[in-house]
Amino acid sequence: MKPIYHKKNAAILLCILLSLFAAVSAPAQESVLHDITATQDVSGSLPPKVLMRTMTQSYCTYYDFAIKDGKIYAKEKGNAEWKLFLKTGLPFSGSGSGKDVFDPPAAICELCCDADSLCAFDQDGVMYSCFISKTAPQKPFRWRKLCGFPRENYLVQNDLVVEKRGWSMGCRRGEILWYEDRYGNQHHYGTMGLETFYFLTKDGQHIRFTDSGLPTDFSRSIQGPEEGRFVAENISVSGDTIFLIGDRGSMYTRLIDFDTMGCDPVFFQYTYEKLPQYSAGTDYISNYAPWALPAEDWFKQPKIKLSGSARLSKIISIAQTGRGNAARELRVAGTDASGRIGYYHKMLFDAEWLFSPAELVIADEFFLENKAEAGEETTFSYRGYISKNSNKLAGYSCMVEGAALSSEDRCTLTISHGEESFSCALYPVEKWTYIRRYNPGFDGTPRYYFITAEIDEWKLSRYSKDFRQLLEDLFKDRHLKLFDFSAEASTQYYQIDILGGATSFRGVTGQDAYTLFMTCDGNADAQPFVYKAGKSMELGGIGNPLSEDLVLAPKEFYTAADSEEIAQKLENNKAYRKNLEEMSKAQKKYHEKAVRSRWGFSFFDIVSRITFLNKVNFPKIKQVTSYMGDLLTANASLYGDLIAYMDWAYPSVLDLLDLRLAAYSRLLDSLENGEGSAALDSGFHESLIGYYDDIAFPHHAVQGEEATLDMLEISPQFACFVLQKADGTVILIRPEDVPQTVAENDAPYKFRATFTMVSLAKNARHAPPDNENVIADIDSYQGELRWDGKTVRIYIKNAIFTKKLLFAGSAE
């Protein structure tokens, strides 16, 4: 049989592996804000009363706030006089600030307040916050620049949000007192509450958020109305209830934050079932009752009826007015039928809007234009395979449809076998992480999820015997079982891990391990490790080792006129190499901390189980022991994957950098020693491919009809080989020390090599590599790649003095 791996498959795998080299750090764009009071001061400059909450004016339970000349002015409720807030109008750190010491900013450009909290952004997009009530959880009337948990840092508007259509802040604390879940059960806010910051992105279709108990980034998101296709013109938030308006006057509201969407199982009990609630929201103990999931849906507000000269603007406002979810007033600035300026208003769940005339200043650009409110599709679909204990199941496929990759999601899983198929709804909620991230799911790094499945178990008996056995092992007795599955997902792949029902004894758990691995292009043929993108987080990836700042323009000879450029390139390469090394060390350090945190918790977990403390949920010990281990494991796994990626890719890049530094240094020495002209070393190449080409190593080789070997030119700095056997086995082969081996030896060339299994043969089972047909454990073995000028041979070292020939082929 002719091997099926060739150009098409190589292109697919090349695209997959290219993602390992994507620099996914946040772009180094400076977030600069400007004075926008000219258009955002809708209530007028320092008005008698702030009537609409905008990015420069806001009102809450205790104060009205406004920006004037880059400073914050405040007017206490019941007081007619505006004063510079805390006398200076600018954030400052005073005595008792501890480590949170900072210089006052030059100007404040944006602000928002809600309940007992005020936050503001300076001209550089840096946030400052201040509590404005004596009942607040921390000392009031003291500015803070540090925020977030578990490590405090600065929250700075980055490129994901700096060009936002609007932003707002919501506070859920004692002023509201309780939250009502989707079944009307009331839950006391607890002892701390939270402040959440919501940003409507430039396209109007995405909402990014962070809160006081999360790392300081904008990595988390909420899917908008109409499955994310609704294009909102503006956003306002109060009490964590989001208010959106579209260009045709459609309006939606939804109460949602990190806690209510189900992402905080360490501190709250959750359930997808309708359970009775016996405590009122006024009782603190109601905080311990299970919170119903999913969070409430988007609620479409009744449209404002317009006639005559009536017009609506995108200036909207929502404000909490009392306890519970419903205590919110909505406002929309505009004109009535007779053309009077004012605002339409109603309580959250009222059916009719009323109009109140007011002295508002609405710029022409803020009036709605009746443009389409439906944007582009924002969800993803994936197709792939199912593996059981790392072996693919022949004849089975799976598909996920409608995944938004937001922090809280809903999608559909379908498993097929021949003409039969089974579908169920999935409810993913993002796992908490203490790591600061950029844009997981979209930047090459995945989002990690807990998943609860909604299963019609009575349908399982409809299927043929083999299919029914698989479905029962996956789904029996798991309808709405909380967070029973785990997943990780990106725009490229979706992976769901499931432990099957208890069967015959297999190690500790007695359960089969299933992996559903799907890709967006539907070509999921690789082992997950090979397909996945590099986990470089916000610290960045390898970048471009061949950028103009690092590489000399090719010349036959260089002269003294080039000395300055050569010296600068040397310094740039030294700095680049140092940065890569520091990045690698930092990531390994983070990984060690993550592992220590995991093992530290494991000890606590063991003690709590022995003493039965894990059965006690006051103060929430049961919650911590139930989920903290899983969350810490996910964090450790994330860094573990990143370390594996770096160990795989960095050595080749660093080796080439060392050769470049040596070659450039010799070139510069020659010119500085008086030589009129000089050339780079004859055997030096900027790319790894150049060294292979020096010895005429084939880019494609065949072993009859049994196997093919193709060079994957992932980047000029890194190349490896993919071996495909006729039985469907695909193995990635990475030679080591290629430049040194080429430079220091003559034919036959021998390269040390490591292996990564990409795809096993359909009938593979784990066996040692001396088996004639099976090499399932090849990842754990060293090998050798040889080239004598005619034949490529690949060996597996399966013992100290023995080798197994894996491939012997020549250029086609």
Side-chain angles (χ1 to χ4, degrees):
M1 182 180 73
K2 188 75 173 177
I4 61 172
Y5 184 94
H6 201 23
K7 290 184 178 179
K8 180 180 179 181
N9 299 60
I12 293 168
L13 191 56
L14 176 59
C15 290
I16 294 167
L17 295 174
L18 274 171
S19 64
L20 290 170
F21 290 84
V24 302
S25 62
Q29 173 182 340
E30 185 179 4
S31 299
V32 178
L33 305 181
H34 306 283
D35 183 355
I36 53 175
T37 54
T39 56
Q40 291 284 318
D41 281 2
V42 175
S43 299
S45 179
L46 301 184
K49 186 176 183 180
V50 174
L51 298 172
M52 302 297 298
R53 302 172 80 219
T54 69
M55 288 189 282
T56 61
Q57 298 179 332
S58 193
Y59 60 91
C60 63
T61 309
Y62 306 98
Y63 286 89
D64 284 0
F65 290 98
I67 297 174
K68 182 178 175 60
D69 299 327
K71 295 185 178 181
I72 302 173
Y73 284 77
K75 184 167 68 68
E76 195 169 1
K77 287 299 174 68
N79 193 328
E81 184 180 1
W82 286 95
K83 296 180 180 180
L84 284 171
F85 183 58
L86 300 183
K87 298 182 180 180
T88 68
L90 292 173
F92 62 91
S93 57
S95 59
S97 296
K99 63 179 181 179
D100 196 7
V101 176
F102 55 88
D103 294 327
I108 291 297
C109 297
E110 300 173 357
L111 61 73
C112 187
C113 63
D114 194 42
D116 61 10
S117 299
L118 166 68
C119 67
F121 287 94
D122 68 14
Q123 75 282 355
D124 294 321
V126 181
M127 191 187 81
Y128 305 82
S129 63
C130 183
F131 289 113
I132 52 177
S133 168
K134 294 179 180 180
T135 61
Q138 295 183 42
K139 186 176 180 179
F141 304 108
R142 188 178 74 187
W143 281 108
R144 297 167 179 81
K145 189 175 182 181
L146 290 172
C147 61
F149 178 85
R151 176 175 293 181
E152 291 185 318
N153 216 311
Y154 298 151
L155 181 65
V156 184
Q157 293 188 36
N158 63 7
D159 65 300
L160 295 174
V161 300
V162 72
E163 295 185 83
K164 70 273 178 188
R165 294 192 175 196
W167 73 274
S168 193
M169 186 262 284
C171 181
R172 187 163 55 79
R173 221 179 330 269
E175 288 77 9
I176 291 177
L177 196 60
W178 67 77
Y179 156 74
E180 297 167 22
D181 65 28
R182 68 185 299 114
Y183 296 123
N185 296 324
Q186 297 178 351
H187 304 276
H188 193 277
Y189 82 94
T191 58
M192 294 292 291
L194 78 164
E195 311 91 62
T196 306
F197 313 97
Y198 303 82
F199 289 75
L200 178 64
T201 57
K202 183 179 179 181
D203 63 5
Q205 290 185 250
H206 297 86
I207 300 170
R208 296 194 169 271
F209 76 96
T210 188
D211 71 37
S212 51
L214 294 173
T216 50
D217 60 42
F218 296 98
S219 65
R220 292 165 179 82
S221 65
I222 297 167
Q223 186 182 32
E226 301 173 13
E227 296 183 336
R229 297 199 62 181
F230 180 72
V231 179
E233 295 296 321
N234 199 7
I235 184 173
S236 187
V237 183
S238 183
D240 290 2
T241 300
I242 302 171
F243 181 25
L244 302 175
I245 189 168
D247 208 43
R248 291 183 175 176
S250 299
M251 293 167 285
Y252 287 90
T253 54
R254 187 185 191 193
L255 196 164
I256 186 168
D257 56 38
F258 191 74
D259 293 344
T260 65
M261 68 172 56
C263 294
D264 205 356
V266 172
F267 295 104
F268 300 100
Q269 295 187 69
Y270 295 113
T271 180
Y272 282 86
E273 300 182 76
K274 187 175 182 179
L275 300 177
Q277 166 81 350
Y278 302 107
S279 300
T282 52
D283 298 329
Y284 173 77
I285 196 65
S286 64
N287 179 268
Y288 288 81
W291 296 27
L293 296 177
E296 69 176 48
D297 302 317
W298 284 104
F299 177 72
K300 190 168 187 178
Q301 293 288 339
K303 276 207 168 187
I304 298 173
K305 298 175 183 178
L306 302 177
S307 62
S309 298
R311 298 175 67 192
L312 297 180
S313 78
K314 65 180 71 174
I315 303 298
I316 59 175
S317 184
I318 181 173
Q320 53 182 282
T321 60
R323 294 177 172 181
N325 296 21
R328 310 284 191 278
E329 184 196 33
L330 309 179
R331 296 180 182 179
V332 182
T335 60
D336 67 1
S338 63
R340 294 182 301 171
I341 294 178
Y343 59 91
Y344 294 86
H345 56 96
K346 76 178 189 71
M347 295 303 292
L348 186 65
F349 295 118
D350 286 353
E352 298 293 331
W353 291 86
L354 302 175
F355 182 82
S356 292
E359 293 184 6
L360 301 180
V361 182
I362 307 174
D364 289 341
E365 64 194 78
F366 287 157
F367 281 100
L368 302 182
E369 299 178 0
N370 200 34
K371 293 185 297 187
E373 294 177 334
E376 296 180 358
E377 177 68 47
T378 61
T379 60
F380 300 86
S381 296
Y382 310 80
R383 295 176 181 272
Y385 64 83
I386 304 174
S387 66
K388 178 180 180 180
N389 301 323
S390 300
N391 295 307
K392 291 183 182 178
L393 297 180
Y396 292 90
S397 63
C398 51
M399 176 172 60
V400 163
E401 297 176 288
L405 301 182
S406 53
S407 296
E408 171 243 26
D409 210 349
R410 187 189 189 281
C411 52
T412 302
L413 170 66
T414 300
I415 297 177
S416 299
H417 178 59
E419 298 296 321
E420 299 179 288
S421 63
F422 171 83
S423 297
C424 63
L426 302 181
Y427 296 99
V429 295
E430 188 171 12
K431 293 182 178 180
W432 175 81
T433 176
Y434 54 80
I435 300 167
R436 293 179 73 194
R437 303 171 301 169
Y438 175 56
N439 192 14
F442 298 86
D443 61 9
T445 67
R447 287 193 191 273
Y448 288 86
Y449 291 105
F450 287 120
I451 288 185
T452 303
E454 186 176 14
I455 304 161
D456 293 326
E457 293 192 33
W458 60 273
K459 292 183 179 180
L460 299 182
S461 60
R462 295 179 173 183
Y463 298 95
S464 60
K465 181 181 178 181
D466 290 345
F467 194 24
R468 183 175 70 249
Q469 287 179 345
L470 173 65
L471 293 176
E472 287 181 346
D473 204 23
L474 291 173
F475 301 123
K476 188 176 181 181
D477 299 326
R478 284 175 162 171
H479 172 62
L480 298 181
K481 189 173 180 183
L482 186 67
F483 303 158
D484 206 30
F485 308 154
S486 289
E488 58 179 275
S490 73
T491 55
Q492 295 144 335
Y493 71 90
Y494 208 103
Q495 178 179 332
I496 303 174
D497 294 305
I498 302 174
L499 284 177
T503 54
S504 58
F505 183 75
R506 292 179 179 85
V508 177
T509 64
Q511 294 174 288
D512 289 309
Y514 291 92
T515 296
L516 283 63
F517 189 71
M518 298 152 279
T519 60
C520 211
D521 58 14
N523 292 304
D525 216 12
Q527 290 273 24
F529 172 79
V530 177
Y531 197 102
K532 294 175 187 178
K535 310 292 188 294
S536 58
M537 308 309 295
E538 72 173 13
L539 292 177
I542 288 175
N544 182 11
L546 296 179
S547 70
E548 292 182 1
D549 293 337
L550 300 174
V551 177
L552 287 171
K555 292 182 180 181
E556 186 176 357
F557 293 101
Y558 297 84
T559 67
D562 299 310
S563 295
E564 185 177 349
E565 180 188 359
I566 297 169
Q568 185 60 56
K569 295 286 173 70
L570 271 170
E571 292 304 312
N572 292 349
N573 277 281
K574 290 176 182 178
Y576 176 64
R577 194 190 192 289
K578 182 179 179 181
N579 182 58
L580 289 181
E581 286 186 324
E582 290 177 349
M583 185 190 312
S584 176
K585 290 178 182 177
Q587 297 288 19
K588 290 179 179 179
K589 184 177 180 180
Y590 293 149
H591 181 232
E592 291 171 1
K593 287 184 177 180
V595 171
R596 286 199 300 269
S597 297
R598 176 67 187 102
W599 285 110
F601 174 76
S602 295
F603 176 76
F604 167 77
D605 190 30
I606 292 170
V607 171
S608 67
R609 292 177 187 276
I610 293 174
T611 60
F612 296 101
L613 285 174
N614 65 319
K615 304 298 182 183
V616 179
N617 208 33
F618 195 92
K620 301 195 176 183
I621 294 176
K622 184 175 183 293
Q623 290 304 113
V624 174
T625 55
S626 296
Y627 294 103
M628 182 59 83
D630 196 332
L631 295 173
L632 292 176
T633 297
N635 283 283
S637 174
L638 189 151
Y639 276 121
D641 288 347
L642 176 58
I643 298 306
Y645 148 68
M646 290 192 301
D647 286 346
W648 196 52
Y650 276 38
S652 175
V653 177
L654 293 174
D655 285 349
L656 287 169
L657 278 175
D658 289 338
L659 292 171
R660 179 188 296 166
L661 287 168
Y664 286 12
S665 294
R666 285 192 290 270
L667 177 62
L668 185 62
D669 288 344
S670 297
L671 294 174
E672 289 181 343
N673 288 333
E675 295 186 22
S677 64
L680 283 167
D681 301 339
S682 59
F684 168 73
H685 296 284
E686 295 285 5
S687 73
L688 193 64
I689 306 300
Y691 291 96
Y692 283 120
D693 289 345
D694 268 358
I695 59 174
F697 199 104
H699 289 227
H700 176 70
V702 297
Q703 181 179 308
E705 295 190 354
E706 298 179 22
T708 59
L709 183 73
D710 284 274
M711 183 184 294
L712 284 180
E713 300 174 22
I714 295 175
S715 82
Q717 302 296 96
F718 183 83
C720 56
F721 295 85
V722 62
L723 171 68
Q724 173 141 341
K725 305 185 75 176
D727 62 5
T729 298
V730 180
I731 302 168
L732 199 68
I733 300 156
R734 182 172 68 85
E736 299 177 352
D737 303 324
V738 174
Q740 293 86 342
T741 303
V742 170
E744 298 170 3
N745 298 277
D746 295 319
Y749 297 96
K750 300 177 182 179
F751 305 94
R752 289 180 300 145
T754 57
F755 305 97
T756 301
M757 180 63 68
V758 177
S759 178
L760 285 169
K762 292 182 179 179
N763 297 319
R765 293 291 184 270
H766 287 293
D770 55 357
N771 182 286
E772 189 64 32
N773 301 310
V774 181
I775 32 179
D777 293 328
I778 196 170
D779 299 55
S780 60
Y781 289 84
Q782 292 290 316
E784 186 177 271
L785 185 148
R786 295 184 184 180
W787 169 239
D788 60 10
K790 294 182 179 180
T791 305
V792 180
R793 291 181 174 85
I794 302 172
Y795 295 91
I796 300 174
K797 294 183 178 181
N798 54 346
I800 297 177
F801 299 110
T802 61
K803 299 176 181 176
K804 170 183 168 61
L805 182 64
L806 184 64
F807 174 85
S810 57
E812 190 175 40

